[in-house]
Amino acid sequence: MTAVLCAVAAVLLLGACGTQVAGRGTSQSPTGPIPWTIGEPSEVTGARLADGGRTLLLDAQVPSGAHACVRELKAVLTDPVQEDLVRVQISFYSPAGDRSSGCTKERSATARVRLPAPLGSRKVVVDNYVQFTADGARPPALRLCGKLGCTPPATGCTAASYDQALMAVDAPEHTYRDSEECDGKWLVLDFSWRTGPACGDGSAPGCSSRLGDRWFFRARKSGWVPIAEGVAGGCRDVQRREPDFPASLCKGLAPLSPSLHPSFPPVSASPSPS
């Protein structure tokens, strides 16, 4: 009897040795291990300096979950340091491309890179689109720049300022301005954008198709602030929202062409079958 009990115990012990709790160790999927692929952070939220300006620390949003979701987080210089610019790229390896990995959340992590010389007045460009500058920042932090760069244009009757107004109303990409009425404090902006197929010389039917819009703005410290949208002629649309809008900028406005701003009345209900 003793021999039988020992044999049973041995079988149970060996069986336990081959048991692994789900979720521990390498990520698994029904078809095998989940691959770790290279990726970039979804957002870079902050930057600061250390070591007398020679080390750059970058705060970024990376995948997170119940188990390991990030390996080899690093920041590297992508180009030689220029007189006015430092270019940096952040990367890491993660299984987050497969949701079954459990890496469906995010957390903040810090990557660092050593500069060959103190940053000084150079701007920092991360992953080609996020910019930081020491100008106007409280050391050791750097200031995160906006969509218009680190020194936005002054609000006024200028092309750069009109571009800021288009951003303020989330105008489609590749929008171009049709007309402007501006006195430095108030602005009317007509703009349009191409639609339909991409065409070479634009001679084919549909290549000149476009849509458009008209917005009215007021100048603030932050830039042009949209106050009204309207396609009718004259001042009615804007002065209904902002009575102080000067008539000199809107009284001569013609209605926006229906081809630019078509209306789509609701479809009438189909008659019920008798």
Side-chain angles (χ1 to χ4, degrees):
M1 178 63 71
T2 302
V4 173
L5 292 175
C6 289
V8 172
V11 170
L12 293 174
L13 181 61
L14 290 173
C17 291
T19 300
Q20 181 175 342
V21 178
R24 293 182 181 173
T26 304
S27 298
Q28 297 283 330
S29 72
T31 57
I34 297 173
W36 288 65
T37 57
I38 195 167
E40 296 181 352
S42 63
E43 187 179 8
V44 181
T45 58
R48 57 194 182 279
L49 296 170
D51 302 331
R54 298 198 62 158
T55 297
L56 179 63
L57 296 94
L58 298 161
D59 298 326
Q61 292 296 107
V62 300
S64 176
H67 309 291
C69 290
V70 172
R71 294 175 183 165
E72 300 180 40
L73 173 67
K74 63 180 180 180
V76 297
L77 299 175
T78 58
D79 292 306
V81 172
Q82 302 175 23
E83 185 176 340
D84 60 345
L85 201 65
V86 172
R87 292 189 178 275
V88 181
Q89 185 175 44
I90 301 175
S91 64
F92 54 80
Y93 285 89
S94 175
D98 189 328
R99 292 184 63 84
S100 65
S101 67
C103 301
T104 57
K105 299 180 181 180
E106 286 194 325
R107 64 177 177 86
S108 181
T110 301
R112 64 178 63 210
V113 60
R114 180 77 171 173
L115 305 177
L119 181 67
S121 60
R122 298 178 182 89
K123 293 183 179 66
V124 176
V125 178
V126 185
D127 297 336
N128 295 321
Y129 59 91
V130 182
Q131 294 187 55
F132 293 92
T133 179
D135 184 30
R138 179 178 297 178
L142 300 179
R143 176 170 61 88
L144 176 63
C145 304
K147 291 182 179 180
L148 292 171
C150 298
T151 53
T155 304
C157 303
T158 64
S161 190
Y162 298 151
D163 288 342
Q164 179 269 314
L166 290 175
M167 288 184 182
V169 295
D170 198 23
E173 194 174 359
H174 307 304
T175 290
Y176 56 94
R177 301 187 307 276
D178 295 326
S179 65
E180 309 92 14
E181 296 289 341
C182 177
D183 67 359
K185 295 182 180 180
W186 306 91
L187 168 67
V188 185
L189 195 58
D190 287 5
F191 54 92
S192 57
W193 56 94
R194 291 278 295 273
T195 63
C199 309
D201 58 7
S203 60
C207 289
S208 60
S209 298
R210 59 194 178 109
L211 295 175
D213 211 347
R214 171 182 291 151
W215 277 86
F216 302 84
F217 302 83
R218 183 174 190 166
R220 297 293 190 192
K221 287 184 178 180
S222 59
W224 288 114
V225 176
I227 55 176
E229 177 190 21
V231 299
C235 300
R236 184 186 63 183
D237 287 339
V238 62
Q239 289 186 340
R240 184 183 299 162
R241 296 285 302 275
E242 178 50 77
D244 290 338
F245 195 92
S248 59
L249 296 182
C250 57
K251 64 182 179 180
L253 295 175
L256 202 63
S257 169
S259 65
L260 288 178
H261 201 100
S263 61
F264 300 97
V267 178
S268 58
S270 301
S272 302
S274 57

Short mmCIF file of all heavy atoms in Angstrom, two decimals, residues 203-255:
data_model
loop_
_atom_site.label_atom_id
_atom_site.label_comp_id
_atom_site.label_asym_id
_atom_site.label_seq_id
_atom_site.Cartn_x
_atom_site.Cartn_y
_atom_site.Cartn_z
N SER A 203 -8.29 68.55 -65.70
CA SER A 203 -9.22 68.74 -66.81
C SER A 203 -10.35 67.72 -66.84
O SER A 203 -11.37 67.94 -67.47
CB SER A 203 -8.45 68.69 -68.14
OG SER A 203 -7.82 67.43 -68.29
N ALA A 204 -10.17 66.59 -66.17
CA ALA A 204 -11.19 65.55 -66.19
C ALA A 204 -12.40 65.96 -65.36
O ALA A 204 -12.27 66.75 -64.41
CB ALA A 204 -10.61 64.24 -65.67
N PRO A 205 -13.60 65.46 -65.72
CA PRO A 205 -14.79 65.78 -64.93
C PRO A 205 -14.61 65.40 -63.47
O PRO A 205 -14.11 64.33 -63.15
CB PRO A 205 -15.89 64.94 -65.59
CG PRO A 205 -15.40 64.69 -66.97
CD PRO A 205 -13.90 64.59 -66.87
N GLY A 206 -15.01 66.28 -62.59
CA GLY A 206 -14.90 66.02 -61.15
C GLY A 206 -13.61 66.51 -60.54
O GLY A 206 -13.52 66.61 -59.31
N CYS A 207 -12.60 66.83 -61.37
CA CYS A 207 -11.32 67.25 -60.80
C CYS A 207 -11.40 68.63 -60.15
O CYS A 207 -10.59 68.96 -59.29
CB CYS A 207 -10.23 67.25 -61.87
SG CYS A 207 -9.75 65.59 -62.40
N SER A 208 -12.34 69.45 -60.60
CA SER A 208 -12.47 70.79 -60.03
C SER A 208 -13.52 70.85 -58.93
O SER A 208 -13.85 71.92 -58.44
CB SER A 208 -12.82 71.80 -61.13
OG SER A 208 -14.05 71.45 -61.74
N SER A 209 -14.08 69.70 -58.54
CA SER A 209 -15.10 69.68 -57.49
C SER A 209 -14.51 70.16 -56.17
O SER A 209 -13.39 69.79 -55.82
CB SER A 209 -15.65 68.26 -57.32
OG SER A 209 -16.27 67.82 -58.49
N ARG A 210 -15.25 70.99 -55.47
CA ARG A 210 -14.77 71.47 -54.18
C ARG A 210 -15.94 71.88 -53.31
O ARG A 210 -17.05 72.12 -53.78
CB ARG A 210 -13.78 72.64 -54.35
CG ARG A 210 -14.32 73.84 -55.08
CD ARG A 210 -13.18 74.77 -55.50
NE ARG A 210 -13.67 75.92 -56.25
CZ ARG A 210 -13.70 77.16 -55.78
NH1 ARG A 210 -13.26 77.41 -54.56
NH2 ARG A 210 -14.15 78.15 -56.51
N LEU A 211 -15.68 71.96 -52.02
CA LEU A 211 -16.63 72.45 -51.03
C LEU A 211 -16.01 73.64 -50.32
O LEU A 211 -14.80 73.87 -50.42
CB LEU A 211 -16.98 71.35 -50.03
CG LEU A 211 -17.72 70.14 -50.60
CD1 LEU A 211 -17.89 69.08 -49.51
CD2 LEU A 211 -19.08 70.55 -51.15
N GLY A 212 -16.83 74.41 -49.62
CA GLY A 212 -16.29 75.59 -48.96
C GLY A 212 -17.11 76.01 -47.76
O GLY A 212 -18.16 75.44 -47.47
N ASP A 213 -16.63 77.05 -47.08
CA ASP A 213 -17.30 77.54 -45.89
C ASP A 213 -16.89 78.98 -45.64
O ASP A 213 -15.93 79.49 -46.24
CB ASP A 213 -16.92 76.66 -44.68
CG ASP A 213 -18.05 76.57 -43.66
OD1 ASP A 213 -19.01 77.37 -43.76
OD2 ASP A 213 -17.97 75.71 -42.78
N ARG A 214 -17.63 79.64 -44.73
CA ARG A 214 -17.33 81.02 -44.34
C ARG A 214 -17.43 81.12 -42.82
O ARG A 214 -18.41 80.68 -42.22
CB ARG A 214 -18.31 82.00 -44.98
CG ARG A 214 -18.19 83.44 -44.44
CD ARG A 214 -19.23 84.35 -45.10
NE ARG A 214 -18.91 84.55 -46.50
CZ ARG A 214 -19.83 84.80 -47.45
NH1 ARG A 214 -21.11 84.85 -47.12
NH2 ARG A 214 -19.46 84.98 -48.70
N TRP A 215 -16.39 81.69 -42.21
CA TRP A 215 -16.36 81.87 -40.77
C TRP A 215 -16.02 83.31 -40.41
O TRP A 215 -15.30 83.99 -41.16
CB TRP A 215 -15.34 80.94 -40.12
CG TRP A 215 -15.86 79.55 -39.89
CD1 TRP A 215 -15.86 78.51 -40.78
CD2 TRP A 215 -16.46 79.05 -38.70
NE1 TRP A 215 -16.41 77.39 -40.22
CE2 TRP A 215 -16.80 77.68 -38.94
CE3 TRP A 215 -16.75 79.59 -37.46
CZ2 TRP A 215 -17.40 76.89 -37.98
CZ3 TRP A 215 -17.35 78.79 -36.49
CH2 TRP A 215 -17.68 77.46 -36.75
N PHE A 216 -16.53 83.76 -39.28
CA PHE A 216 -16.27 85.08 -38.74
C PHE A 216 -15.47 84.92 -37.45
O PHE A 216 -15.76 84.03 -36.65
CB PHE A 216 -17.59 85.81 -38.46
CG PHE A 216 -18.48 85.95 -39.65
CD1 PHE A 216 -19.33 84.92 -40.03
CD2 PHE A 216 -18.48 87.12 -40.41
CE1 PHE A 216 -20.17 85.05 -41.13
CE2 PHE A 216 -19.31 87.26 -41.51
CZ PHE A 216 -20.16 86.22 -41.87
N PHE A 217 -14.49 85.81 -37.22
CA PHE A 217 -13.57 85.68 -36.09
C PHE A 217 -13.42 87.01 -35.35
O PHE A 217 -13.61 88.09 -35.92
CB PHE A 217 -12.18 85.25 -36.57
CG PHE A 217 -12.15 83.97 -37.33
CD1 PHE A 217 -12.44 83.94 -38.70
CD2 PHE A 217 -11.80 82.77 -36.71
CE1 PHE A 217 -12.40 82.75 -39.41
CE2 PHE A 217 -11.75 81.59 -37.42
CZ PHE A 217 -12.06 81.57 -38.76
N ARG A 218 -13.01 86.87 -34.10
CA ARG A 218 -12.62 88.02 -33.28
C ARG A 218 -11.22 87.79 -32.76
O ARG A 218 -10.87 86.66 -32.39
CB ARG A 218 -13.60 88.18 -32.11
CG ARG A 218 -13.32 89.40 -31.23
CD ARG A 218 -14.41 89.58 -30.19
NE ARG A 218 -14.28 90.85 -29.51
CZ ARG A 218 -15.23 91.39 -28.75
NH1 ARG A 218 -16.38 90.73 -28.59
NH2 ARG A 218 -15.04 92.55 -28.15
N ALA A 219 -10.40 88.83 -32.71
CA ALA A 219 -9.01 88.69 -32.24
C ALA A 219 -8.96 88.63 -30.72
O ALA A 219 -9.59 89.43 -30.03
CB ALA A 219 -8.18 89.86 -32.75
N ARG A 220 -8.21 87.68 -30.22
CA ARG A 220 -7.92 87.55 -28.80
C ARG A 220 -6.42 87.37 -28.63
O ARG A 220 -5.67 87.20 -29.60
CB ARG A 220 -8.66 86.36 -28.19
CG ARG A 220 -10.18 86.47 -28.23
CD ARG A 220 -10.69 87.58 -27.34
NE ARG A 220 -12.14 87.54 -27.18
CZ ARG A 220 -12.85 88.52 -26.64
NH1 ARG A 220 -12.24 89.60 -26.19
NH2 ARG A 220 -14.17 88.42 -26.53
N LYS A 221 -5.95 87.35 -27.37
CA LYS A 221 -4.51 87.15 -27.13
C LYS A 221 -4.05 85.80 -27.67
O LYS A 221 -2.91 85.66 -28.12
CB LYS A 221 -4.21 87.25 -25.64
CG LYS A 221 -4.28 88.66 -25.09
CD LYS A 221 -3.87 88.70 -23.62
CE LYS A 221 -3.88 90.12 -23.09
NZ LYS A 221 -3.47 90.19 -21.66
N SER A 222 -4.93 84.81 -27.63
CA SER A 222 -4.57 83.47 -28.08
C SER A 222 -4.60 83.33 -29.60
O SER A 222 -4.15 82.33 -30.15
CB SER A 222 -5.55 82.45 -27.48
OG SER A 222 -6.88 82.74 -27.86
N GLY A 223 -5.15 84.34 -30.30
CA GLY A 223 -5.25 84.28 -31.76
C GLY A 223 -6.67 84.57 -32.21
O GLY A 223 -7.50 85.08 -31.44
N TRP A 224 -6.96 84.26 -33.48
CA TRP A 224 -8.32 84.45 -33.99
C TRP A 224 -9.25 83.40 -33.37
O TRP A 224 -8.98 82.21 -33.42
CB TRP A 224 -8.34 84.31 -35.51
CG TRP A 224 -7.72 85.45 -36.26
CD1 TRP A 224 -6.59 85.41 -37.02
CD2 TRP A 224 -8.20 86.79 -36.32
NE1 TRP A 224 -6.32 86.64 -37.55
CE2 TRP A 224 -7.29 87.52 -37.14
CE3 TRP A 224 -9.28 87.45 -35.77
CZ2 TRP A 224 -7.46 88.88 -37.43
CZ3 TRP A 224 -9.45 88.82 -36.04
CH2 TRP A 224 -8.55 89.51 -36.86
N VAL A 225 -10.37 83.88 -32.79
CA VAL A 225 -11.35 83.00 -32.15
C VAL A 225 -12.62 83.01 -32.99
O VAL A 225 -13.19 84.08 -33.24
CB VAL A 225 -11.65 83.46 -30.72
CG1 VAL A 225 -12.75 82.60 -30.09
CG2 VAL A 225 -10.39 83.42 -29.87
N PRO A 226 -13.10 81.87 -33.46
CA PRO A 226 -14.32 81.83 -34.27
C PRO A 226 -15.55 82.22 -33.45
O PRO A 226 -15.69 81.80 -32.29
CB PRO A 226 -14.40 80.38 -34.75
CG PRO A 226 -13.58 79.60 -33.78
CD PRO A 226 -12.51 80.52 -33.31
N ILE A 227 -16.43 83.04 -34.05
CA ILE A 227 -17.64 83.47 -33.34
C ILE A 227 -18.91 83.08 -34.08
O ILE A 227 -19.98 82.99 -33.47
CB ILE A 227 -17.64 85.00 -33.09
CG1 ILE A 227 -17.45 85.76 -34.41
CG2 ILE A 227 -16.57 85.38 -32.09
CD1 ILE A 227 -17.55 87.27 -34.24
N ALA A 228 -18.84 82.85 -35.39
CA ALA A 228 -20.05 82.49 -36.13
C ALA A 228 -19.66 81.89 -37.47
O ALA A 228 -18.58 82.17 -38.01
CB ALA A 228 -20.95 83.70 -36.34
N GLU A 229 -20.57 81.06 -37.99
CA GLU A 229 -20.44 80.48 -39.32
C GLU A 229 -21.70 80.83 -40.09
O GLU A 229 -22.80 80.83 -39.51
CB GLU A 229 -20.28 78.97 -39.23
CG GLU A 229 -20.21 78.26 -40.56
CD GLU A 229 -20.31 76.74 -40.42
OE1 GLU A 229 -20.83 76.30 -39.36
OE2 GLU A 229 -19.91 76.03 -41.35
N GLY A 230 -21.60 81.15 -41.37
CA GLY A 230 -22.80 81.47 -42.14
C GLY A 230 -22.52 81.56 -43.61
O GLY A 230 -21.43 81.98 -44.03
N VAL A 231 -23.50 81.17 -44.42
CA VAL A 231 -23.32 81.16 -45.89
C VAL A 231 -24.18 82.22 -46.55
O VAL A 231 -24.06 82.45 -47.76
CB VAL A 231 -23.66 79.78 -46.46
CG1 VAL A 231 -22.73 78.73 -45.88
CG2 VAL A 231 -25.11 79.40 -46.19
N ALA A 232 -25.05 82.90 -45.79
CA ALA A 232 -25.88 83.95 -46.36
C ALA A 232 -25.04 85.19 -46.61
O ALA A 232 -23.98 85.38 -46.02
CB ALA A 232 -27.05 84.25 -45.43
N GLY A 233 -25.51 86.05 -47.48
CA GLY A 233 -24.82 87.31 -47.73
C GLY A 233 -25.06 88.30 -46.61
O GLY A 233 -25.94 88.13 -45.76
N GLY A 234 -24.27 89.37 -46.60
CA GLY A 234 -24.46 90.44 -45.63
C GLY A 234 -24.04 90.06 -44.21
O GLY A 234 -23.23 89.16 -43.99
N CYS A 235 -24.63 90.79 -43.25
CA CYS A 235 -24.18 90.71 -41.85
C CYS A 235 -25.11 89.92 -40.93
O CYS A 235 -24.80 89.77 -39.74
CB CYS A 235 -24.04 92.13 -41.29
SG CYS A 235 -22.84 93.17 -42.17
N ARG A 236 -26.22 89.42 -41.45
CA ARG A 236 -27.22 88.84 -40.57
C ARG A 236 -26.67 87.71 -39.71
O ARG A 236 -26.87 87.68 -38.49
CB ARG A 236 -28.40 88.33 -41.40
CG ARG A 236 -29.55 87.79 -40.56
CD ARG A 236 -30.61 87.17 -41.44
NE ARG A 236 -30.07 86.01 -42.16
CZ ARG A 236 -30.76 85.31 -43.05
NH1 ARG A 236 -32.00 85.68 -43.36
NH2 ARG A 236 -30.22 84.26 -43.65
N ASP A 237 -25.95 86.75 -40.32
CA ASP A 237 -25.50 85.57 -39.58
C ASP A 237 -24.57 85.94 -38.43
O ASP A 237 -24.69 85.41 -37.32
CB ASP A 237 -24.78 84.60 -40.53
CG ASP A 237 -25.75 83.88 -41.45
OD1 ASP A 237 -26.94 83.83 -41.11
OD2 ASP A 237 -25.30 83.38 -42.50
N VAL A 238 -23.64 86.86 -38.70
CA VAL A 238 -22.65 87.16 -37.65
C VAL A 238 -23.20 88.13 -36.61
O VAL A 238 -22.94 87.98 -35.41
CB VAL A 238 -21.34 87.69 -38.27
CG1 VAL A 238 -21.57 89.00 -39.02
CG2 VAL A 238 -20.28 87.87 -37.19
N GLN A 239 -23.96 89.16 -37.04
CA GLN A 239 -24.43 90.14 -36.07
C GLN A 239 -25.54 89.59 -35.18
O GLN A 239 -25.82 90.15 -34.12
CB GLN A 239 -24.88 91.41 -36.80
CG GLN A 239 -23.70 92.18 -37.38
CD GLN A 239 -24.09 93.51 -37.99
OE1 GLN A 239 -25.25 93.73 -38.33
NE2 GLN A 239 -23.11 94.39 -38.15
N ARG A 240 -26.13 88.48 -35.59
CA ARG A 240 -27.07 87.79 -34.71
C ARG A 240 -26.33 87.22 -33.51
O ARG A 240 -26.86 87.17 -32.40
CB ARG A 240 -27.77 86.69 -35.49
CG ARG A 240 -28.85 85.95 -34.70
CD ARG A 240 -29.43 84.84 -35.54
NE ARG A 240 -30.05 85.35 -36.76
CZ ARG A 240 -30.33 84.60 -37.83
NH1 ARG A 240 -30.01 83.31 -37.83
NH2 ARG A 240 -30.91 85.13 -38.87
N ARG A 241 -25.10 86.79 -33.72
CA ARG A 241 -24.27 86.22 -32.65
C ARG A 241 -23.43 87.27 -31.96
O ARG A 241 -23.18 87.18 -30.76
CB ARG A 241 -23.36 85.13 -33.22
CG ARG A 241 -24.09 83.93 -33.79
CD ARG A 241 -24.64 83.04 -32.68
NE ARG A 241 -23.59 82.58 -31.81
CZ ARG A 241 -22.83 81.51 -32.04
NH1 ARG A 241 -23.03 80.79 -33.14
NH2 ARG A 241 -21.90 81.15 -31.19
N GLU A 242 -22.95 88.25 -32.74
CA GLU A 242 -22.05 89.27 -32.21
C GLU A 242 -22.44 90.63 -32.81
O GLU A 242 -21.99 91.01 -33.88
CB GLU A 242 -20.60 88.92 -32.55
CG GLU A 242 -19.57 89.93 -32.08
CD GLU A 242 -19.73 90.29 -30.62
OE1 GLU A 242 -19.32 89.48 -29.77
OE2 GLU A 242 -20.28 91.38 -30.34
N PRO A 243 -23.31 91.37 -32.10
CA PRO A 243 -23.80 92.66 -32.64
C PRO A 243 -22.69 93.68 -32.91
O PRO A 243 -22.89 94.59 -33.72
CB PRO A 243 -24.75 93.16 -31.54
CG PRO A 243 -25.15 91.93 -30.80
CD PRO A 243 -23.96 91.02 -30.83
N ASP A 244 -21.55 93.55 -32.22
CA ASP A 244 -20.47 94.52 -32.41
C ASP A 244 -19.65 94.27 -33.66
O ASP A 244 -18.75 95.06 -33.97
CB ASP A 244 -19.54 94.50 -31.19
CG ASP A 244 -20.21 95.08 -29.95
OD1 ASP A 244 -21.18 95.85 -30.10
OD2 ASP A 244 -19.77 94.74 -28.83
N PHE A 245 -19.90 93.18 -34.38
CA PHE A 245 -19.11 92.92 -35.58
C PHE A 245 -19.34 94.05 -36.57
O PHE A 245 -20.48 94.39 -36.90
CB PHE A 245 -19.52 91.59 -36.22
CG PHE A 245 -18.52 91.08 -37.23
CD1 PHE A 245 -17.50 90.23 -36.85
CD2 PHE A 245 -18.61 91.48 -38.56
CE1 PHE A 245 -16.58 89.77 -37.78
CE2 PHE A 245 -17.69 91.03 -39.50
CZ PHE A 245 -16.67 90.17 -39.10
N PRO A 246 -18.26 94.68 -37.09
CA PRO A 246 -18.40 95.88 -37.94
C PRO A 246 -19.07 95.57 -39.28
O PRO A 246 -18.67 94.65 -39.99
CB PRO A 246 -16.96 96.35 -38.14
CG PRO A 246 -16.11 95.16 -37.86
CD PRO A 246 -16.85 94.34 -36.84
N ALA A 247 -20.08 96.38 -39.60
CA ALA A 247 -20.81 96.20 -40.86
C ALA A 247 -19.91 96.42 -42.07
O ALA A 247 -20.15 95.86 -43.14
CB ALA A 247 -22.00 97.14 -40.90
N SER A 248 -18.85 97.20 -41.89
CA SER A 248 -17.97 97.47 -43.03
C SER A 248 -17.30 96.21 -43.56
O SER A 248 -16.88 96.17 -44.72
CB SER A 248 -16.90 98.48 -42.62
OG SER A 248 -16.13 97.98 -41.53
N LEU A 249 -17.19 95.16 -42.73
CA LEU A 249 -16.54 93.93 -43.17
C LEU A 249 -17.53 92.91 -43.72
O LEU A 249 -17.10 91.93 -44.36
CB LEU A 249 -15.76 93.30 -42.01
CG LEU A 249 -14.59 94.09 -41.44
CD1 LEU A 249 -13.91 93.28 -40.33
CD2 LEU A 249 -13.58 94.45 -42.52
N CYS A 250 -18.81 93.08 -43.45
CA CYS A 250 -19.75 92.03 -43.84
C CYS A 250 -20.87 92.48 -44.76
O CYS A 250 -21.53 91.64 -45.40
CB CYS A 250 -20.35 91.35 -42.61
SG CYS A 250 -21.18 92.48 -41.46
N LYS A 251 -21.13 93.79 -44.88
CA LYS A 251 -22.29 94.23 -45.65
C LYS A 251 -22.16 93.91 -47.14
O LYS A 251 -23.17 93.72 -47.82
CB LYS A 251 -22.51 95.73 -45.46
CG LYS A 251 -21.39 96.61 -45.99
CD LYS A 251 -21.69 98.08 -45.72
CE LYS A 251 -20.57 98.99 -46.24
NZ LYS A 251 -20.87 100.43 -45.96
N GLY A 252 -20.94 93.79 -47.64
CA GLY A 252 -20.76 93.50 -49.05
C GLY A 252 -20.61 92.02 -49.37
O GLY A 252 -20.35 91.65 -50.52
N LEU A 253 -20.78 91.14 -48.38
CA LEU A 253 -20.61 89.71 -48.61
C LEU A 253 -21.74 89.14 -49.46
O LEU A 253 -22.92 89.37 -49.17
CB LEU A 253 -20.55 88.96 -47.28
CG LEU A 253 -19.36 89.26 -46.37
CD1 LEU A 253 -19.53 88.52 -45.03
CD2 LEU A 253 -18.05 88.85 -47.03
N ALA A 254 -21.38 88.42 -50.50
CA ALA A 254 -22.38 87.72 -51.32
C ALA A 254 -22.66 86.36 -50.69
O ALA A 254 -21.81 85.80 -50.00
CB ALA A 254 -21.87 87.56 -52.74
N PRO A 255 -23.84 85.81 -50.92
CA PRO A 255 -24.11 84.46 -50.39
C PRO A 255 -23.11 83.46 -50.95
O PRO A 255 -22.64 83.58 -52.08
CB PRO A 255 -25.53 84.16 -50.90
CG PRO A 255 -26.13 85.49 -51.19
CD PRO A 255 -24.98 86.36 -51.64
#
